[in-house]
Amino acid sequence: MNTPQSQHVPTLGLVLAGGEARRMGGNKAFREVGGKSLIGRVIDVAQAQCDQVMISSNAGADAFADFRLPVVGDHPETGQGPLGGILGGLRMLPDGIDWLVTFPVDCPIVPLDMVARLRAAAEGAGVTAAFASHADRDHYLSSIWHRDSAQTIADCLAADDRRVRGPLQALGAARVIFADRVAGLEPFTNVNTPQDLRAVNAAMSDHIAMSDRASNR
């Protein structure tokens, strides 16, 4: 793929909200972090960086009606894990947008330059995908996918390979290292359990309190 470099290339953010959340006890997307639901916080981050945003879920549009965003199901069928959601999003890319960026609903702390850096890395390497990495840990679901990557994902699913790493490796995806914290917090922190939720809430509360004290000086 030869994609020309430009200052602004349209992107679509896909909030991955299709997990069963068994470790959280269900209904993960609507658990609160820092006084706001996880999904609401992740949507805000996606909208700040992308031209359009959709939600990936098989629960249907009514479950997310308050957000007034398109809801897209898995492709080719449910039960394929996150890759099915990514492929569903790629199949729904509108004309004029070639890049899809995924935002896991359990990952509310995202670098504000993530989309720009992922796209620049993919374009610079001449590949159709890139993913984030922080502190020697790869975050395959914090990633960008060109519409041309859809067939590779479909091939992996057809071979019953549901690992997100699978198509990223097949595509020679670029690995982008994000070294900095985000407003003093560790980026790409996953909120999978009630304990994770309490820890992130405590970190956010501390950050908000520090910001308030600084602004009142």
Side-chain angles (χ1 to χ4, degrees):
M1 180 199 66
N2 293 317
T3 304
Q5 298 268 2
S6 64
Q7 289 188 341
H8 178 74
V9 174
T11 56
L12 188 147
L14 184 69
V15 178
L16 299 171
E20 295 182 4
R22 292 175 182 172
R23 285 183 288 172
M24 186 66 78
N27 203 24
K28 179 195 293 187
F30 295 96
R31 299 297 178 95
E32 285 198 358
V33 168
K36 192 167 191 172
S37 69
L38 273 170
I39 189 168
R41 193 169 290 282
V42 174
I43 286 172
D44 286 349
V45 173
Q47 288 180 327
Q49 300 189 51
C50 299
D51 298 88
Q52 296 184 32
V53 175
M54 296 191 301
I55 297 171
S56 170
S57 176
N58 296 307
D62 289 348
F64 306 96
D66 290 347
F67 300 104
R68 300 181 181 180
L69 293 174
V71 179
V72 57
D74 294 354
H75 188 89
E77 59 187 2
T78 60
Q80 303 293 304
L83 274 186
I86 295 170
L87 185 55
L90 286 168
R91 299 293 189 192
M92 293 298 292
L93 278 177
D95 292 342
I97 297 183
D98 290 329
W99 291 100
L100 179 83
V101 188
T102 52
F103 295 82
V105 76
D106 60 3
C107 184
I109 305 168
V110 179
L112 295 179
D113 61 351
M114 184 186 82
V115 172
R117 289 187 59 191
L118 289 177
R119 181 184 58 76
E123 288 185 337
V127 295
T128 56
F131 61 92
S133 184
H134 172 73
D136 294 325
R137 181 179 177 185
D138 295 333
H139 298 274
Y140 299 123
L141 287 179
S142 296
S143 47
I144 191 167
W145 307 78
H146 191 272
R147 66 167 66 244
D148 289 347
S149 66
Q151 188 57 55
T152 299
I153 296 175
D155 291 343
C156 288
L157 290 176
D160 201 28
D161 184 356
R162 302 175 186 176
R163 301 170 304 155
V164 179
R165 182 177 62 181
L168 288 171
Q169 288 181 331
L171 294 165
R175 179 173 179 256
V176 183
I177 297 174
F178 292 84
D180 296 335
R181 295 165 71 91
V182 180
L185 305 174
E186 285 293 325
F188 309 113
T189 297
N190 292 112
V191 182
N192 291 317
T193 67
Q195 292 79 10
D196 294 339
L197 192 67
R198 287 193 291 270
V200 173
N201 266 313
M204 284 193 165
S205 296
D206 290 343
H207 172 69
I208 292 170
M210 290 175 61
S211 297
D212 289 345
R213 286 196 295 270
S215 64
N216 290 329
R217 288 176 181 173

